[in-house]
Amino acid sequence: MIKKLLLLLLFSSPVLAQYSPADLDLAETTYLRKFSPEVISKYLTSGRPERVRAALLSLSHSNDTTFVEAITGLNFSKYGDYMSFALGHIGYSKASTEYLLQKALDKSPFQEAAFDALGRTGDKEAYNYLIEKYLSTEGKNFNGISLAVAGFNSRGIRTEDGKEITILTGEVSDTELPMRRRIHAAFALSRTAPGRDSEESLLKVLSEKGSKEDDIILRQYTLAALRKLKSFKGSINLFKNLILDPDWRIRTEAAKVLCYYSFKSEEELNTYLRLLKDANPNVSRQAAISLREASLDGALREYLKKALEKSFDNSFTLNTMGEIFLTLAKMEPGNAFNLASKERDKVGKVYYFRMMQENFTDPERNLSHLIENSADDKSEELERLGALLALQKYLPGNEKLDGILLSNLSSVFAAAVSVTADGLDSLFIERHKDELKRIIKRQAGLHLNNAQFTESSMSLVGLAGKISPEFRTEVLNLMKTSTLYSMSSFAFKELGKTTEPRKDLGSFISFWKNAFIYKYAVVTTDKGSFTIKLNSEVSPISVGNFCSLAKKDFFNGVIFHRVVPDFVIQAGDPEGTGWGGPGYEIVSEFSPVPFERSYVGMASAGKDTEGSQWFVMHSYFPHLNGRYSNFGKVVEGMDIVDTIDQGDKIIKVELK
């Protein structure tokens, strides 16, 4: 096994070594979020490339722009990727923006990194300058412009006349540009809003032939951009080719956009329905979901309904059957409860409760069913709570409903508190203002130092703000006294104050020791095994934490609670809800390592809230880059990862 893995590594993308076991002092000041100038300076001036890069990784988390001068004083031709990364994350400063703008317009090996960093931190003036400069010059030398556009747009910075859409459409269509550049243009279009005049160009890109990974990624994002338009006006031949594509990821993206095709016959509809019976469970499930978006005339709509009813059998996975049920419920809402009663065993309570989040033909009946049917586990309870919250609009002032919602807000179940706090409407808040104040103050105080409640506490702050700005400030002042760094730093930031460093190292030494012992983790699931190569050189704390948990058999029996087709599979929550964790938090370790297919990252509820949840990428998604800790890569068994469905289980994790 190990010999085979070593051979695989020889052909994998190299990752420049940064952290090593000798870098304890840098790792410690970074973990404490103190960023000692003496320690940082020692590394930046060491003359050793790996130590300089490690210091730049550290500084990217500091939010301290006084370090900008030290960063920009380094050799850009040698460290440009890590320098750009640090400047893009450290926060806005005029000096760093001017520096990045200069480097972005210089044709260098790290030009793309400079553009990406500008998109993360530049101001509107810099953005307008870039757009005008691109349009007034050749534009061919702007390698990375699409990443900049995506970054600026994600922060709400756009041109008033949509010039960036013209640029992106031109970039994705230009076959003379490097494929990576075209991919980033398609990605940026999928994250913004392509115009109708982009559609023809996008369809042309879809017609290009190619089976390499880059060809697949380009088509994935082109399909995603078309999905933004909720339109597919391609030919029937292109329609069929996408459905028959050999790569399951393309078939998944096709399911998401081909539902907008203007179906003219039962034959065309049957062609789409082939996706329901796809061998890959992710494709099948996505097709069942996307059918809810299909716009069909009377005859074809009736044909689809009968076809779905006929196909509603045990040959599908539970998730696909559940989504078929929801599609049928949407098509015929008046019959949803009869269908649920008939097919309850096949559907399960999760989908039964989910149906009631969108079906309001008889709100009183919904409430009765939700009261009479308790959940069997925490995942079901969250879906049940979602259905109860959805009834606020239809049953305002209902005492039973209001009592249940107040009870959930007072719960010790952190996820229920968060979902309730986020979901209460303005009328409910006005009716129960005083009671809500009492509950919020009690919950915030009780769970002040509870890592499981970090996300819930943030939701309580949001609810407090809906009551009054003064009450929100009162809750934040309480939260800033938390011993949890994530909670106190959140409160300090929201109050407009400088965040204090961490108060203690916790299990830092244990994590640090474990970070450099193991190189691989073999994850055995009920679908098969896959092997992760651990990247302690970039994310030592994440690796050390993962190894510490694996040594305790923490992941054994844990399900993949979240699977988003052609995006990620996610596990590590013993509750199976997405809110659970190990009872503590570790720091974020962002880096320039991209979230391409097979890479492994730490899930979080915000910076420095990571715990035990982790995910594996189905495909390349640049918007995750530098926003999540990338701590490994699957080097064997991606075929297993591709077949994992939501609810599948981890049997064990072995460290090598």
Side-chain angles (χ1 to χ4, degrees):
M1 168 69 79
I2 294 299
K3 183 178 179 181
K4 185 175 182 181
L5 291 173
L6 291 174
L7 287 172
L8 280 168
L9 271 179
L10 293 176
F11 298 97
S12 63
S13 301
V15 175
L16 295 171
Q18 326 304 334
Y19 283 105
S20 72
D23 298 332
L24 179 62
D25 54 348
L26 178 66
E28 181 176 307
T29 193
T30 304
Y31 190 86
L32 288 172
R33 297 313 197 213
K34 287 185 176 178
F35 306 101
S36 163
E38 293 77 16
V39 173
I40 298 292
S41 177
K42 181 178 75 171
Y43 278 75
L44 286 179
T45 60
S46 67
R48 293 172 57 185
E50 69 278 6
R51 297 197 113 196
V52 175
R53 293 191 189 98
L56 289 169
L57 285 180
S58 172
L59 287 178
S60 70
H61 295 89
S62 69
N63 298 321
D64 187 347
T65 56
T66 62
F67 286 110
V68 167
E69 185 177 355
I71 295 171
T72 55
L74 297 171
N75 186 341
F76 191 82
S77 63
K78 193 172 185 178
Y79 304 113
D81 49 354
Y82 281 76
M83 290 170 64
S84 297
F85 182 81
L87 292 172
H89 283 75
I90 209 167
Y92 171 79
S93 82
K94 185 177 181 182
S96 64
T97 297
E98 290 176 350
Y99 182 84
L100 288 169
L101 197 55
Q102 174 199 338
K103 297 303 180 183
L105 296 177
D106 287 343
K107 194 172 182 181
S108 76
F110 302 123
Q111 183 185 33
E112 181 185 290
F115 268 114
D116 188 20
L118 260 179
R120 294 175 186 273
T121 192
D123 55 20
K124 187 168 181 123
E125 183 181 353
Y127 183 55
N128 288 331
Y129 178 79
L130 278 180
I131 297 297
E132 294 302 327
K133 189 78 172 172
Y134 181 100
L135 293 172
S136 63
T137 60
E138 181 63 21
K140 295 278 186 182
N141 295 327
F142 282 59
N143 183 35
I145 184 66
S146 296
L147 289 176
V149 170
F152 277 110
N153 283 202
S154 70
R155 294 186 291 122
I157 300 175
R158 304 185 179 187
T159 63
E160 295 179 1
D161 49 6
K163 290 177 181 176
E164 57 269 89
I165 303 302
T166 301
I167 292 174
L168 296 176
T169 303
E171 291 260 318
V172 76
S173 304
D174 191 342
T175 56
E176 294 183 4
L177 288 177
M179 183 62 85
R180 180 180 176 89
R181 222 169 124 169
R182 298 181 69 199
I183 286 170
H184 285 150
F187 157 73
L189 275 175
S190 74
R191 301 292 292 178
T192 54
R196 289 289 169 187
D197 52 355
S198 303
E199 189 166 4
E200 186 176 343
S201 298
L202 293 172
L203 289 170
K204 188 175 180 180
V205 172
L206 279 182
S207 300
E208 295 177 19
K209 302 294 182 182
S211 57
K212 295 180 180 179
E213 181 66 12
D214 280 352
D215 298 315
I216 292 168
I217 296 171
L218 178 62
R219 284 187 290 153
Q220 284 175 287
Y221 279 124
T222 302
L223 284 165
L226 285 169
R227 181 157 54 98
K228 279 276 186 178
L229 292 172
K230 294 191 174 183
S231 174
F232 184 84
K233 295 179 180 177
S235 68
I236 187 62
N237 285 335
L238 178 58
F239 178 91
K240 290 179 179 178
N241 288 339
L242 289 168
I243 285 174
L244 297 174
D245 195 278
D247 194 286
W248 74 270
R249 293 169 295 166
I250 294 296
R251 300 197 301 275
T252 298
E253 295 304 318
K256 296 176 185 178
V257 71
L258 296 183
C259 57
Y260 298 112
Y261 178 76
S262 180
F263 293 96
K264 303 175 186 67
S265 67
E266 293 177 4
E267 181 184 357
E268 290 180 349
L269 190 53
N270 282 332
T271 301
Y272 183 93
L273 292 177
R274 291 182 60 166
L275 294 171
L276 272 182
K277 297 186 178 180
D278 198 280
N280 187 293
N282 290 298
V283 179
S284 175
R285 178 181 169 210
Q286 185 59 59
I289 294 170
S290 296
L291 277 169
R292 297 199 277 279
E293 298 295 317
S295 179
L296 304 170
D297 63 26
L300 283 181
R301 181 181 174 83
E302 188 62 25
Y303 178 82
L304 174 61
K305 186 169 77 71
K306 289 181 179 178
L308 291 178
E309 289 172 345
K310 187 177 179 180
S311 69
F312 199 79
D313 57 47
N314 290 316
S315 64
F316 291 116
T317 65
L318 174 63
N319 289 319
T320 296
M321 284 194 290
E323 299 297 350
I324 290 174
F325 163 68
L326 293 181
T327 299
L328 285 168
K330 183 178 180 181
M331 294 180 72
E332 199 174 15
N335 192 45
F337 278 89
N338 292 335
L339 180 65
S341 178
K342 179 183 175 184
E343 308 290 0
R344 176 72 68 86
D345 293 337
K346 295 178 184 177
V347 172
K349 285 186 178 179
V350 163
Y351 288 97
Y352 176 59
F353 292 143
R354 201 173 291 173
M355 176 270 291
M356 281 188 276
Q357 294 177 27
E358 298 181 358
N359 188 310
F360 307 106
T361 54
D362 188 345
E364 290 283 0
R365 178 178 59 179
N366 282 26
L367 181 59
S368 296
H369 277 263
L370 291 167
I371 291 173
E372 293 166 6
N373 290 273
S374 60
D376 296 327
D377 59 39
K378 290 183 175 180
S379 292
E380 291 179 0
E381 182 54 41
L382 290 181
E383 296 294 347
R384 178 175 175 270
L385 178 54
L388 287 162
L389 285 163
L391 287 174
Q392 292 175 94
K393 177 181 177 182
Y394 302 92
L395 300 174
N398 184 288
E399 291 185 6
K400 288 183 180 179
L401 176 61
D402 285 12
I404 294 171
L405 296 181
L406 288 170
S407 176
N408 273 283
L409 194 66
S410 303
S411 171
V412 295
F413 180 21
V417 174
S418 188
V419 170
T420 306
D422 291 339
L424 294 177
D425 66 22
S426 58
L427 292 176
F428 183 99
I429 294 169
E430 186 60 34
R431 284 197 306 273
H432 301 285
K433 189 181 296 184
D434 293 337
E435 179 65 13
L436 288 173
K437 280 186 174 183
R438 285 193 291 271
I439 294 173
I440 291 169
K441 288 171 70 173
R442 184 173 69 248
Q443 291 284 59
L446 281 173
H447 303 288
L448 187 63
N449 303 314
N450 183 349
Q452 302 286 67
F453 252 78
T454 299
E455 191 170 356
S456 304
S457 295
M458 293 176 182
S459 294
L460 289 172
V461 169
L463 179 57
K466 294 174 184 177
I467 294 172
S468 75
E470 295 77 18
F471 183 56
R472 179 177 183 273
T473 299
E474 182 182 345
V475 176
L476 285 169
N477 278 320
L478 172 62
M479 283 180 60
K480 75 179 185 182
T481 65
S482 172
T483 58
L484 293 170
Y485 178 75
S486 64
M487 201 175 292
S488 63
S489 62
F490 167 79
F492 273 99
K493 183 179 178 181
E494 292 297 306
L495 289 167
K497 298 180 180 180
T498 303
T499 302
E500 294 182 349
R502 272 179 172 265
K503 295 179 174 65
D504 62 73
L505 285 168
S507 301
F508 166 76
I509 296 299
S510 172
F511 296 151
W512 185 253
K513 287 180 178 178
N514 275 303
F516 300 98
I517 297 175
Y518 305 100
K519 296 297 181 184
Y520 306 97
V522 180
V523 182
T524 301
T525 77
D526 49 13
K527 287 283 182 68
S529 299
F530 59 89
T531 302
I532 301 171
K533 165 70 170 64
L534 301 168
N535 188 0
S536 54
E537 292 85 0
V538 171
S539 303
I541 302 303
S542 301
V543 170
N545 172 60
F546 180 88
C547 293
S548 296
L549 292 169
K551 287 166 72 174
K552 299 172 185 174
D553 297 331
F554 181 90
F555 300 114
N556 296 7
V558 172
I559 66 167
F560 289 91
H561 64 272
R562 180 175 181 242
V563 175
V564 182
D566 192 32
F567 182 41
V568 297
I569 63 170
Q570 187 168 319
D573 173 13
E575 290 184 351
T577 63
W579 267 268
Y584 60 82
E585 296 171 335
I586 62 172
V587 294
S588 302
E589 294 179 296
F590 305 150
S591 74
V593 180
F595 276 99
E596 297 175 348
R597 173 167 166 78
S598 78
Y599 278 85
V600 185
M602 291 296 296
S604 74
K607 189 175 178 181
D608 296 329
T609 63
E610 291 82 356
S612 57
Q613 293 188 44
W614 51 276
F615 57 87
V616 183
M617 304 299 299
H618 280 150
S619 295
Y620 176 37
F621 284 90
H623 67 284
L624 301 190
N625 295 349
R627 289 186 170 90
Y628 292 87
S629 304
N630 192 323
F631 74 96
K633 181 181 182 181
V634 174
V635 292
E636 187 174 30
M638 269 306 291
D639 56 329
I640 301 300
V641 172
D642 289 344
T643 63
I644 286 175
D645 195 8
Q646 193 159 300
D648 287 342
K649 187 177 293 186
I650 294 174
I651 297 171
K652 61 181 177 179
V653 175
E654 297 175 278
L655 301 173
K656 302 288 185 181

